[in-house]
Amino acid sequence: MNITYHEKNRVFKLDTERTSYCIGIVDEENFVGHIYYGRKLSDDNLGYLMRTGEPPFVPSENNRDRTSFLDSFPMEYTGNNLGDYRESTLSVRTAGGHTGVSLSYVAHHIYDGKPALEGLPATFGDRTECKTLELVCEDKILGLQVLLSYSIFADNDAIARSVRVVNQSGEPVYLTKVLSACIDMDNDEYEMITLHGSWARERMIQTRPVALGKQSVSSVRGESSHQEHPFMAWKQKHTTEEAGDIYGMHFVYSGNFLAQIEAGQFGTIRAVMGIHPENFCWKLEPGESFQAPEVICVYSSEGIGGMTRNLHDLYRNHLIRGEYKDKKRPILINNWEATYFDFNTEKLLDIARQASRLGIEMLVMDDGWFGERNDDNTSLGDWQVNESKLRGGLKYLVDEVNKLGMKFGIWFEPEMISPDSRLYREHPDWAIAIPGRTGSLARNQYVLDLTRKEVRDYVYDMVAAVLHSANIEYVKWDMNRQLSDIGSYGLPADRQGELLHRQVLALYEMQDRLTREFPGLLLENCSGGGARFDPGMLYYSPQIWCSDDTDAVERLSIQAGTAMIYPLSSMGAHVSDCPNHTVGRTTPFETRGYVALAGTFGYELDVTKIPEADRARIPDQVAMYHQYHDLVCQGDYYRIAHYADNHFYDCYEVVAKDKSEALITYIQVLNRPNYHSRRIRIPGLAPDKTYVIANIQDWPEIRQTEYRGDTLHYAGLNIPPLWGDFQGRLMHLKALS
Ligand code: DGJ
């Protein structure tokens, strides 16, 4: 990793192990231009690529066509209202009501390490692991300083970008848009990859051509959302899983976002990402600064899979923190699909007793243990134990579970308030609402206004008191509605536009506090399934509940989309009962286990009630989890075949970093009559190593046990047809030393 400044040509170059990123300063006005992003280059003199000598020329040579220059020049970060008509990244309104921003380079700093972003989640690395380039820019007229920050990593090809705006003027300025990153480059008939979904259908992969004009994904729901995801990639048409160019941008943030590619008239694209400007207006007083969240930029010439593995490594090594960062997570059993709200101490203990005999390591008590909560209409905000359900109290239950040798975990939804709650009756103004308007309910609940310190302290203290009252080692932090009626009783009129971002900052502050006060706690974030599965939340919790849909077949697509950008160790995945509670499908118990193995692994069922044959399989699944945990969580992930594309089967692989072993999961979703074996190519192995199928007993149809790595990659293996639909198998390859 290296960052250089070529003073004569005024060119900055950031080199990671396999990529280069170049920035140039041009003309007398010191415009900050984008020169190159892609494969690593040995040359650091790339100033010739800056389009300054071509019409419409730079303003110092042709000021009569200034807007033409501004509207075509590849910018690193853009102002607005002065002639660049493409999407802007920074917009302001002055105290006098005017807009217009133009940024010029003033100075730069290059240093070892990477500073933390105050109040925000961000990737991290020490002085030996990271280097940072900070470009100091300014708009003299406004008295605004804008700091563009770029950090690179010694062991990863990602570039982490962020922006800080400082008001150096003598009067307040209103920031109406502060995006976090912009990449201008030549178009290459790109295709855009995004993730979209719905409740129980999160992160489906969507690919579309980049057309002239704007194409975007976004959220204005107050969270990153089920529907769209703060990620986008663009790739050449011929880019595959294994080869070809791909660029990606991923937002380390959990609220409203915009991710957009705009293809313009001159054959260029502008890719931008940041906080969505809708409903956003931040008042910046003199001397104050605004920190925009981080965007991760990646480039890979090794196809979609190259981008995937890069992001997995980045998040495992430089984003996920805490005691459970690299530690094996306990196999949990969650009572949500087992009992919903209908449980009591005895029922939970019955589940725990049976579960502990089978090797399950933690009981998680889900929604319904507090206030008067016997359905989802009441009590959010009343975080006191319902002792008519939990007779003997919470501590008794936890102690009994501990005596079985199991850990205990609990569910909260701290950001919410039910209209039917003691808290709401006492503090109706603590809900986010527009005065004079009846608030829109969702799941019969409102969102607490966490921008008010007294509200977040009150809620935090209730949560902490419960956690201190017993030996609770895991928290599932849920969030079951999107925000609406954006208004706060605590903010002045000219700061109402800050609410959405302040709400996200408040959430981060609360989770930061929680993880500091309870450092041994395993935190799992959740939002009606996976509506807030984003890098921001991953900074606080090493795992996130992927989806409320636990059906093994649906999960193939949900987990494929999630695993495209997140490590398997972060994906909450459980074996549940059948017929599945979301889609009514019945799949073999073994298949449900193989699919859940690609995540944090646990159970979501009443183990006292499932068929005996299924129960008898649990010890083998537990052993399977223990055997493959390290490989699955630390290895390199390769998508081999995607059920959502071929409609018949799914196949993926995890290869150990040292290439000593690999685990291939093969799920034949639908059988086909009169069909022969299927050729699967197995990438990622050492070409010159010999591999054996270590679990050949599970593959009686396969006669040969030894293969060379390159043969498996380029020629492949014939996988025999399996009898029936929804059949799954694992193949464990081990290298002969
Ligand atoms: C939504 C979550 O995704 C479920 O797992 C469960 O915790 C419910 N909320 C409880 O209300």
Side-chain angles (χ1 to χ4, degrees):
M1 108 186 126
N2 201 12
I3 300 179
T4 52
Y5 180 50
H6 195 287
E7 203 152 351
K8 188 161 159 271
N9 292 301
R10 305 210 292 168
V11 170
F12 295 95
K13 183 156 175 271
L14 296 89
D15 288 318
T16 68
E17 197 189 324
R18 284 169 295 192
T19 74
S20 292
Y21 190 104
C22 289
I23 300 165
I25 310 298
V26 301
D27 207 29
E28 292 160 359
E29 291 180 55
N30 291 344
F31 295 106
V32 184
H34 180 77
I35 300 180
Y36 172 82
Y37 188 25
R39 258 179 209 261
K40 187 167 188 166
L41 306 172
S42 54
D43 198 346
D44 63 355
N45 182 12
L46 295 169
Y48 74 95
L49 284 170
M50 210 79 261
R51 290 199 169 97
T52 50
E54 305 168 17
F57 303 114
V58 286
S60 62
E61 290 171 38
N62 182 22
N63 202 34
R64 70 180 287 279
D65 289 320
R66 188 180 177 87
T67 60
S68 303
F69 166 78
L70 291 172
D71 200 26
S72 59
F73 186 71
M75 298 281 184
E76 269 302 305
Y77 193 73
T78 81
N80 85 326
N81 190 21
L82 298 175
D84 183 347
Y85 298 99
R86 296 164 292 178
E87 186 77 33
S88 64
T89 46
L90 179 66
S91 309
V92 304
R93 198 178 65 243
T94 63
H98 293 292
T99 61
V101 192
S102 174
L103 298 177
S104 301
Y105 162 88
V106 186
H108 70 267
H109 311 286
I110 296 173
Y111 51 86
D112 292 337
K114 178 177 190 296
L117 302 189
E118 207 191 323
L120 283 167
T123 52
F124 54 81
D126 67 23
R127 292 170 57 83
T128 62
E129 294 169 323
C130 290
K131 273 186 191 294
T132 297
L133 164 68
E134 201 173 79
L135 296 177
V136 183
C137 306
E138 69 173 10
D139 182 313
K140 268 207 185 97
I141 310 283
L142 294 173
L144 271 194
Q145 189 183 64
V146 177
L147 301 152
L148 307 180
S149 174
Y150 303 75
S151 294
I152 54 172
F153 301 82
D155 62 355
N156 196 281
D157 284 311
I159 300 178
R161 291 181 59 174
S162 64
V163 174
R164 191 148 62 89
V165 184
V166 188
N167 183 0
Q168 295 182 326
S169 77
E171 48 185 28
V173 63
Y174 295 88
L175 306 176
T176 51
K177 183 184 197 182
V178 189
L179 300 188
S180 294
C182 168
I183 300 180
D184 279 357
M185 59 168 64
D186 280 17
N187 200 347
D188 199 0
E189 288 190 63
Y190 287 120
E191 291 179 336
M192 184 181 188
I193 303 179
T194 52
L195 300 171
H196 70 99
S198 182
W199 173 77
R201 235 183 321 114
E202 294 89 339
R203 289 173 293 286
M204 303 286 129
I205 299 171
Q206 173 172 260
T207 307
R208 56 182 139 161
V210 170
L212 283 168
K214 294 175 179 178
Q215 36 259 292
S216 65
V217 285
S218 64
S219 167
V220 290
R221 297 166 187 268
E223 62 172 351
S224 42
S225 91
H226 292 105
Q227 287 73 13
E228 296 185 352
H229 201 74
F231 164 81
M232 64 179 173
W234 57 104
K235 67 173 190 70
Q236 289 161 329
K237 269 190 196 142
H238 57 261
T239 297
T240 63
E241 272 300 313
E242 288 184 48
D245 287 351
I246 183 163
Y247 297 86
M249 285 168 104
H250 204 180
F251 200 24
V252 188
Y253 189 62
S254 312
N256 285 0
F257 72 88
L258 173 68
Q260 180 179 283
I261 297 180
E262 176 180 5
Q265 55 183 332
F266 300 121
T268 56
I269 61 163
R270 168 166 290 177
V272 297
M273 183 171 271
I275 295 178
H276 202 294
E278 180 153 327
N279 260 328
F280 174 85
C281 181
W282 193 277
K283 183 180 183 185
L284 206 58
E285 295 283 3
E288 280 183 354
S289 66
F290 178 84
Q291 177 65 59
E294 180 166 284
V295 165
I296 301 300
C297 301
V298 280
Y299 160 79
S300 173
S301 59
E302 289 163 27
I304 304 169
M307 172 189 74
T308 294
R309 289 181 288 281
N310 199 1
L311 287 172
H312 284 198
D313 285 341
L314 181 77
Y315 295 154
R316 284 186 294 211
N317 299 327
H318 298 283
L319 183 69
I320 295 172
R321 305 170 302 155
E323 186 169 318
Y324 279 96
K325 181 177 177 358
D326 301 313
K327 193 165 135 184
K328 204 190 233 179
R329 323 274 164 76
I331 301 177
L332 68 83
I333 183 160
N334 178 302
N335 75 309
W336 178 241
E337 287 195 23
T339 66
Y340 296 102
F341 295 99
D342 180 20
F343 62 87
N344 56 26
T345 303
E346 262 325 296
K347 216 178 219 179
L348 293 177
L349 285 177
D350 281 347
I351 292 175
R353 282 185 204 106
Q354 184 67 263
S356 72
R357 284 197 284 272
L358 298 168
I360 297 171
E361 299 160 315
M362 177 161 74
L363 176 76
V364 175
M365 177 173 67
D366 212 280
D367 194 355
W369 57 266
F370 52 93
E372 312 265 313
R373 186 130 164 124
N374 295 313
D375 56 33
D376 59 8
N377 287 308
T378 164
S379 299
L380 295 169
D382 296 344
W383 300 108
Q384 289 87 25
V385 177
N386 178 348
E387 296 217 4
S388 57
K389 260 182 171 174
L390 299 188
R391 289 198 188 281
L394 181 60
K395 182 159 173 23
Y396 169 75
L397 171 64
V398 177
D399 288 348
E400 289 303 300
V401 170
N402 287 167
K403 278 185 206 158
L404 295 167
M406 292 176 84
K407 295 177 190 294
F408 185 89
I410 197 168
W411 177 98
F412 285 100
E413 195 176 358
E415 296 153 78
M416 297 294 153
I417 182 164
S418 305
D420 180 12
S421 65
R422 213 172 55 206
L423 190 67
Y424 190 76
R425 282 185 282 277
E426 283 169 16
H427 300 285
D429 62 321
W430 280 14
I432 287 180
I434 302 171
R437 217 178 249 287
T438 306
S440 307
L441 287 161
R443 210 193 190 202
N444 216 356
Q445 61 198 60
Y446 293 127
V447 182
L448 277 169
D449 181 0
L450 300 175
T451 68
R452 297 171 66 172
K453 186 167 165 25
E454 68 273 28
V455 179
R456 54 179 189 273
D457 283 353
Y458 189 89
V459 178
Y460 179 86
D461 289 346
M462 279 193 286
V463 171
V466 173
L467 297 182
H468 280 301
S469 74
N471 183 27
I472 297 171
E473 297 178 79
Y474 161 106
V475 163
K476 178 177 175 185
W477 181 306
D478 204 349
M479 196 276 202
N480 282 301
R481 68 155 290 177
Q482 300 162 343
L483 277 61
S484 66
D485 305 84
I486 306 308
S488 166
Y489 285 95
L491 290 170
D494 60 352
R495 289 195 179 270
Q496 290 290 328
E498 299 176 13
L499 192 154
L500 281 159
H501 181 54
R502 284 191 184 277
Q503 183 79 1
V504 179
L505 294 178
L507 164 71
Y508 291 152
E509 186 198 289
M510 288 173 76
Q511 294 213 346
D512 188 56
R513 205 169 153 192
L514 188 75
T515 50
R516 278 175 204 276
E517 187 170 343
F518 302 93
L521 191 76
L522 173 56
L523 182 62
E524 175 156 359
N525 269 293
C526 169
S527 179
R532 210 163 52 185
F533 201 126
D534 58 60
M537 299 320 292
L538 214 48
Y539 183 72
Y540 301 96
S541 67
Q543 60 193 57
I544 303 177
W545 184 227
C546 208
S547 175
D548 276 347
D549 194 337
T550 52
D551 170 66
V553 175
E554 294 298 312
R555 273 290 179 130
L556 291 174
S557 304
I558 296 168
Q559 293 181 186
T562 309
M564 188 170 78
I565 50 181
Y566 297 101
L568 305 188
S569 64
S570 67
M571 302 195 312
H574 297 166
V575 175
S576 62
D577 199 7
C578 280
N580 177 268
H581 292 199
T582 309
V583 292
R585 185 182 282 128
T586 296
T587 52
F589 199 74
E590 294 93 326
T591 301
R592 285 175 255 161
Y594 298 144
V595 174
L597 184 65
T600 56
F601 200 75
Y603 292 87
E604 185 98 12
L605 41 72
D606 187 343
V607 72
T608 67
K609 288 199 182 137
I610 57 172
E612 182 50 44
D614 288 352
R615 193 163 37 241
R617 291 193 171 96
I618 291 181
D620 284 346
Q621 285 184 338
V622 166
M624 168 184 82
Y625 166 77
H626 289 303
Q627 180 179 2
Y628 297 124
H629 172 274
D630 290 359
L631 177 56
V632 170
C633 289
Q634 293 159 19
D636 285 329
Y637 171 81
Y638 291 82
R639 225 174 355 260
I640 295 176
H642 191 4
Y643 160 64
D645 295 336
N646 65 42
H647 308 298
F648 283 100
Y649 70 106
D650 206 275
C651 188
Y652 46 86
E653 177 196 22
V654 184
V655 184
K657 288 275 178 200
D658 65 1
K659 312 275 185 201
S660 61
E661 58 175 337
L663 184 71
I664 295 129
T665 306
Y666 177 82
I667 309 287
Q668 176 188 284
V669 179
L670 295 180
N671 200 3
R672 288 179 115 175
N674 191 20
Y675 205 72
H676 57 69
S677 63
R678 191 168 269 139
R679 182 77 64 93
I680 300 283
R681 294 195 306 107
I682 303 173
L685 304 170
D688 52 354
K689 279 195 165 134
T690 299
Y691 290 86
V692 292
I693 303 177
N695 61 338
I696 191 69
Q697 71 282 358
D698 296 338
W699 293 90
E701 311 86 345
I702 296 182
R703 293 202 200 104
Q704 185 177 324
T705 54
E706 283 189 23
Y707 306 86
R708 298 288 287 171
D710 59 346
T711 308
L712 286 173
H713 186 177
Y714 300 113
L717 198 65
N718 292 335
I719 302 285
L722 306 174
W723 183 243
D725 293 341
F726 318 130
Q727 299 300 309
R729 294 260 183 98
L730 296 182
M731 180 179 285
H732 185 202
L733 294 175
K734 273 192 148 174
L736 298 176
S737 48

